[in-house]
Amino acid sequence: MMSLIIAGIRILSEIPIALNANWTFRITRIDAPSAYLRATRTAMLWLTVTPVWLISASLFFCFWPRRLALAHLAVLAIFGMILVELSLHRFHKLPFTCSYMPGKGNLQFVFWAFALIFLPLINAAARFELRILDRPVGLCTTLALLAAVLAGIRRYNAISINSLSEIQFDEAVTPEIIGLNLDHS
């Protein structure tokens, strides 16, 4: 559920709902672009990971033993943060305020990639997690590995964001033919 919500919010954030407010963000920029993009990450975490995690917590504590529920919630939280970081890779925009190029969303590609690749991976990960929930060493190793993956992805995104000089507001059309400019001496 969490991966579907993260993918849905990420795709929806490309749609220009408040395109007329675009100019407000352009002229009132006070902070560096990295501050705005960190705020986007925080909003994504609160809108996607937190609700699913809270609903899951209430259900798991009702039906599972406390230790297994806590272990699964720890894995779920870190996994959700990893998915948010992956969804924000090269997303150098403010959600809902940027122009949109039709066909850029590739919804059919995203759907089929999710159905054919991501769902079997989630199924395999769920089976793996069920095997390690009762083994403290395996659980700690898995949590450490997930935390290391999260730290690596977050560091990579931070480097990408910190090197950014401007927030992207308009989709640029990539030219079909690239000139060599040989006529200029």
Side-chain angles (χ1 to χ4, degrees):
M1 288 305 294
M2 187 180 296
S3 58
L4 284 174
I5 291 173
I6 290 170
I9 293 289
R10 172 61 172 83
I11 289 170
L12 286 176
S13 66
E14 292 275 339
I15 298 173
I17 295 172
L19 187 58
N20 294 336
N22 187 325
W23 67 271
T24 306
F25 291 107
R26 288 182 187 217
I27 64 171
T28 61
R29 190 182 76 190
I30 300 169
D31 294 319
S34 59
Y36 297 105
L37 297 175
R38 279 193 302 269
T40 300
R41 178 194 310 125
T42 303
M44 282 283 286
L45 286 170
W46 280 103
L47 290 173
T48 58
V49 176
T50 304
V52 173
W53 191 88
L54 290 173
I55 292 169
S56 299
S58 64
L59 291 173
F60 293 151
F61 284 122
C62 289
F63 298 111
W64 286 7
R66 181 176 295 255
R67 186 177 56 78
L68 292 178
L70 286 172
H72 180 67
L73 289 172
V75 170
L76 187 64
I78 296 173
F79 183 69
M81 287 187 262
I82 289 171
L83 288 178
V84 166
E85 288 295 327
L86 288 174
S87 74
L88 293 177
H89 174 67
R90 294 190 181 170
F91 186 73
H92 300 155
K93 305 177 186 181
L94 295 177
F96 310 112
T97 62
C98 300
S99 64
Y100 178 73
M101 298 298 282
K104 182 113 171 149
N106 296 325
L107 293 179
Q108 289 180 336
F109 174 75
V110 170
F111 173 78
W112 288 111
F114 187 81
L116 297 174
I117 296 170
F118 202 62
L119 285 178
L121 285 176
I122 289 174
N123 188 21
R127 288 186 196 164
F128 175 75
E129 183 188 11
L130 282 174
R131 284 196 311 257
I132 64 158
L133 280 179
D134 285 331
R135 301 178 188 151
V137 173
L139 179 64
C140 290
T141 305
T142 302
L143 287 173
L145 179 66
L146 287 174
V149 168
L150 175 63
I153 294 170
R154 186 168 280 181
R155 179 72 180 142
Y156 180 77
N157 282 349
I159 290 170
S160 172
I161 288 170
N162 288 336
S163 66
L164 193 64
S165 62
E166 288 288 323
I167 294 176
Q168 181 181 353
F169 285 103
D170 296 315
E171 286 290 333
V173 178
T174 307
E176 295 292 327
I177 300 174
I178 300 173
L180 297 176
N181 294 331
L182 297 176
D183 58 340
H184 300 285
S185 298

